[in-house]
């Protein structure tokens, strides 16, 4: 029996369907918490409403006796029922050391302990995203686990970087190659074996001799690597910005590629994620006019709340949250004679819109560049909600640092950015680059090494 905590249903409203043949139990206290959180325009309220609708759909018109006993979970019209869903009434724990019930968490743990006493032959497991809740449950003698269904990796180090680095020369590992040149493009057709078997579409190959290649096509037996000249990549100027290392150069290659519709950039603070994305976006809207506008948004706890009723437009209220965008816009024009005037001019000319996540839901952006800053703070469900807003001819750019997650109940493994990077690694029109740290100043370099 898996007993779900409220935060699991908020994290993934479809979690009820992900326990296969096992029984799923929703405590009455969890339903009450969902009811208290369901009102409003915040993302958490929408997730609560979705979870409540899913529970109602699965229970259907079952009688109270059936609900207490367990209603078979039907996942499709022709699918056989698998597992059962039931609602657990709060029960007083009859043991010697019940937890004080002034907290909802304690009520749930006491109810589980009572359930455990009634069903001693069955495994009863609390599923919660709250680490402290799990610790309390274990301390009280109730088994507890994290929700693992949307964790596609066991170790964050297994997350692909978007490139494979070879010591010395890449060609030392190759026995046979067929090279084709057409329309100024050089492609190498290789057998897909050894290290090459692990490469995915749009992944890069880098070696110490200066070779840079990009996987442009692959099959079960062959892989096609497009030859990219390192000199051209390193000297690619985008809105006055030149890459400082090869990792920034290949990131710019993905950002500027019109056939790539999703780019995930990860890396530590100062690695250049935001400034690369912003420079590429301005280049593609102002200079080449491939896209019509830039939509910038981000997620923090504050943004999941109402943006407020003080005077000001949505953009003016969002500007403090998206200060990194403005800071990097200033950095792109710091050599101008009057930086402030240049930034004001660009903001007036560039169709750059700051949007709150709360008001993106239900919209569709056509021919737009959508920048999602701090996307490591999004759940997989939330990031899916935003990415599905991308209409015809739009491109989504997700930026984030997986070592800096500020949202409760999220870890690097359960972050939406991790989920998207792993799930989309075989997407022909997607790419991911993990940027290496570029020291921003002597102070930052010293702090990184000594603090």
């Amino acid at each position: 029996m898996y007993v779900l905590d409220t935060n699991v249903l908020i994290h993934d409203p479809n979690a009820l369907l992900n326990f296969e043949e096992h029984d799923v139990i929703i405590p009455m206290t969890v339903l009450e918490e969902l009811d208290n959180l369901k009102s409003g325009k915040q993302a958490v309220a929408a997730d609560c409403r979705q979870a409540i609708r899913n529970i109602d759909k699965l229970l259907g018109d079952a009688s109270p006796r059936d609900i207490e006993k367990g209603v078979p979970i039907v996942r499709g019209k022709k699918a056989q029922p698998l597992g059962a869903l039931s609602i657990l009434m709060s029960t007083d724990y009859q043991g010697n050391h019940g937890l004080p019930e002034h907290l909802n968490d304690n009520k749930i743990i006491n109810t589980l302990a009572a359930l455990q006493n009634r069903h001693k032959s069955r495994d009863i497991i609390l599923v919660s995203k709250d680490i402290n809740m799990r610790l309390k449950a274990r301390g009280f003698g109730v088994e507890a686990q994290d929700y693992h269904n949307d964790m596609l990796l066991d170790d964050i180090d297994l997350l692909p970087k978007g490139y494979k680095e070879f010591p010395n020369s890449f060609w030392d590992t190759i026995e046979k190659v067929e090279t084709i040149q057409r329309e100024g493009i050089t492609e190498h057709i290789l057998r897909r074996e050894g290290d090459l078997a692990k490469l995915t579409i749009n992944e890069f190959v880098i070696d110490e001799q200066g070779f840079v290649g990009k996987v442009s096509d692959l099959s079960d037996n062959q892989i096609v690597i497009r030859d990219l000249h390192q000199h051209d990549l390193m000297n690619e100027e985008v809105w006055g910005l030149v890459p400082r290392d090869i990792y920034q150069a290949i990131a710019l290659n993905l950002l500027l590629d019109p056939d790539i519709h999703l780019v995930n950039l990860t890396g530590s603070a100062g690695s250049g994620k935001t400034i690369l994305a912003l420079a590429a976006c301005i280049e593609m809207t102002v200079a080449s006019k491939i896209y019509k506008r830039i939509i910038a948004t981000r997620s923090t706890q504050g943004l999941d709340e109402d943006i407020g009723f003080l005077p000001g437009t949505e953009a003016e209220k969002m500007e403090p949250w998206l200060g990194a965008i403005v800071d990097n816009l200033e950095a792109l024009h710091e050599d101008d004679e009057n930086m402030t005037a240049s930034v004001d001019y660009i903001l007036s000319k560039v169709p750059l819109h700051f949007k709150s996540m709360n008001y993106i839901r239900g919209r569709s952006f056509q021919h737009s560049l959508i920048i999602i800053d701090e996307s490591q703070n999004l759940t997989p469900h939330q990031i899916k909600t935003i990415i599905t807003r991308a209409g015809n001819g739009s491109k989504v750019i997700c930026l984030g640092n997986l070592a800096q997650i500020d949202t409760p109940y999220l870890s690097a493994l359960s972050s939406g950015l991790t989920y998207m990077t792993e799930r989309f690694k075989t997407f022909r029109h997607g790419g991911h680059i993990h940027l290496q740290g570029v020291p921003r100043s002597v102070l930052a370099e010293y702090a990184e090494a000594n603090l």
Side-chain angles (χ1 to χ4, degrees):
M1 296 180 178
Y2 285 100
V3 182
L4 305 191
D5 195 8
T6 311
N7 48 60
V8 173
L9 293 171
I10 294 173
H11 178 81
D12 181 5
N14 297 316
L16 298 163
L17 304 172
N18 295 329
F19 290 88
E20 298 180 348
E21 74 276 10
H22 304 288
D23 290 346
V24 177
I25 298 173
I26 309 293
M28 187 62 71
T29 307
V30 169
L31 286 180
E32 291 171 352
E33 288 188 332
L34 290 174
D35 187 55
N36 291 334
L37 295 169
K38 71 181 181 184
S39 301
K41 295 181 179 179
Q42 304 95 323
V44 66
D47 292 335
C48 286
R49 293 192 293 270
Q50 182 62 44
I52 292 169
R53 284 192 293 268
N54 288 344
I55 295 170
D56 179 60
K57 181 180 178 181
L58 289 174
L59 294 179
D61 56 358
S63 67
R65 184 180 295 274
D66 290 337
I67 292 174
E68 185 179 357
K69 194 168 145 185
V71 177
I73 298 175
V74 180
R75 292 168 175 79
K77 290 182 179 180
K78 296 183 180 180
Q80 291 294 321
L82 199 62
L85 173 66
S86 59
I87 305 297
L88 179 63
M89 290 296 297
S90 298
T91 307
D92 292 333
Y93 178 60
Q94 302 299 322
N96 296 327
H97 302 288
L99 293 174
E101 297 207 343
H102 65 291
L103 297 175
N104 283 341
D105 286 0
N106 293 354
K107 290 180 184 177
I108 294 172
I109 293 173
N110 284 340
T111 300
L112 263 63
L115 185 67
Q116 204 170 47
N117 283 340
R118 292 204 309 269
H119 301 278
K120 294 184 179 179
S121 63
R122 300 195 63 180
D123 293 329
I124 296 170
I125 302 169
L126 171 66
V127 183
S128 176
K129 299 296 297 178
D130 187 341
I131 297 175
N132 198 56
M133 173 76 157
R134 299 200 300 267
L135 291 174
K136 288 168 69 175
R138 289 172 187 157
F140 198 64
V142 175
E143 188 176 349
Q145 296 179 1
D146 195 357
Y147 178 66
H148 295 290
N149 186 264
D150 54 6
M151 294 184 189
L152 303 180
L153 299 169
D154 296 325
D155 187 344
I156 198 63
D157 291 334
L158 299 175
L159 190 70
K161 293 183 177 180
Y163 48 84
K164 173 71 177 173
E165 296 182 274
F166 289 82
N168 300 317
S169 174
F170 165 72
W171 298 108
D172 291 344
T173 64
I174 305 301
E175 295 181 0
K176 185 178 180 181
V177 59
E178 180 184 348
T179 301
I180 298 174
Q181 290 185 330
R182 52 183 173 79
E183 300 177 359
I185 296 174
T186 303
E187 291 184 327
H188 308 289
I189 303 174
L190 313 168
R191 290 181 62 183
R192 196 178 182 191
E193 57 186 7
D195 288 333
L196 298 185
K198 301 175 184 177
L199 294 177
T200 56
I201 195 74
N202 296 323
E203 195 167 359
F204 291 83
V205 172
I206 304 170
D207 71 9
E208 294 177 353
Q209 303 297 320
F211 173 74
V212 183
K214 178 182 178 182
V215 178
S216 59
D217 198 7
L218 48 78
S219 63
D220 293 338
N221 302 319
Q222 287 187 332
I223 185 168
V224 180
I225 296 180
R226 180 173 298 173
D227 200 327
L228 304 175
H229 300 289
Q230 187 177 34
H231 179 270
D232 293 341
L233 287 173
M234 293 299 296
N235 288 278
E236 176 88 52
E237 184 172 332
V238 181
W239 204 252
L241 182 73
V242 177
R244 297 180 63 176
D245 58 28
I246 190 60
Y247 311 105
Q248 290 189 354
I250 58 179
L252 271 179
N253 180 270
L254 286 179
L255 289 167
L256 296 171
D257 190 337
D259 291 328
I260 301 295
H261 305 317
L262 174 67
V263 179
N264 295 326
L265 297 184
T266 58
S268 59
S271 56
K273 302 181 296 294
T274 307
I275 198 166
L276 287 170
L278 188 60
C281 287
I282 295 174
E283 181 76 21
M284 291 185 288
T285 50
V286 176
S288 61
K289 299 187 184 299
I290 299 173
Y291 300 92
K292 293 181 179 178
R293 57 182 173 175
I294 306 168
I295 308 293
T297 188
R298 65 175 285 182
S299 175
T300 67
Q301 280 183 271
L303 281 185
D304 286 340
E305 301 165 4
D306 203 307
I307 61 173
F309 297 97
L310 293 174
T313 63
E314 180 187 4
E316 289 170 342
K317 292 177 182 180
M318 287 297 300
E319 195 167 334
W321 296 106
L322 290 161
I325 302 290
V326 179
D327 292 344
N328 283 281
L329 196 56
E330 291 176 352
L332 288 171
H333 292 272
E334 62 184 359
D335 295 329
D336 292 2
E337 186 175 340
N338 188 334
M339 181 186 68
T340 304
S342 295
V343 171
D344 290 341
Y345 176 78
I346 289 298
L347 285 173
S348 66
K349 292 294 182 183
V350 175
L352 175 60
H353 306 285
F354 294 159
K355 295 292 180 184
S356 168
M357 272 185 56
N358 300 339
Y359 300 99
I360 284 180
R361 188 183 299 269
R363 299 188 64 181
S364 181
F365 300 107
Q366 313 291 330
H367 304 286
S368 303
L369 290 158
I370 304 171
I371 301 176
I372 309 173
D373 200 14
E374 303 291 341
S375 58
Q376 77 275 4
N377 288 320
L378 292 165
T379 68
H381 179 70
Q382 288 172 330
I383 205 165
K384 178 183 176 182
T385 301
I386 299 177
I387 287 178
T388 52
R389 299 302 95 213
N392 184 41
S394 289
K395 184 170 191 162
V396 178
I397 303 168
C398 300
L399 314 174
N401 178 8
L402 290 168
Q404 190 175 345
I405 294 178
D406 306 315
T407 304
Y409 313 136
L410 266 188
S411 66
L413 287 173
S414 63
S415 167
L417 181 57
T418 301
Y419 185 84
M420 293 299 296
T421 300
E422 179 65 18
R423 181 56 63 90
F424 278 79
K425 67 182 181 182
T426 58
F427 179 49
R428 181 166 291 275
H429 302 287
H432 163 65
I433 295 295
H434 177 74
L435 295 167
Q436 305 293 325
V438 178
R440 291 172 289 182
S441 66
V442 175
L443 173 62
E445 187 175 7
Y446 184 84
E448 187 73 29
N450 296 280
L451 293 184

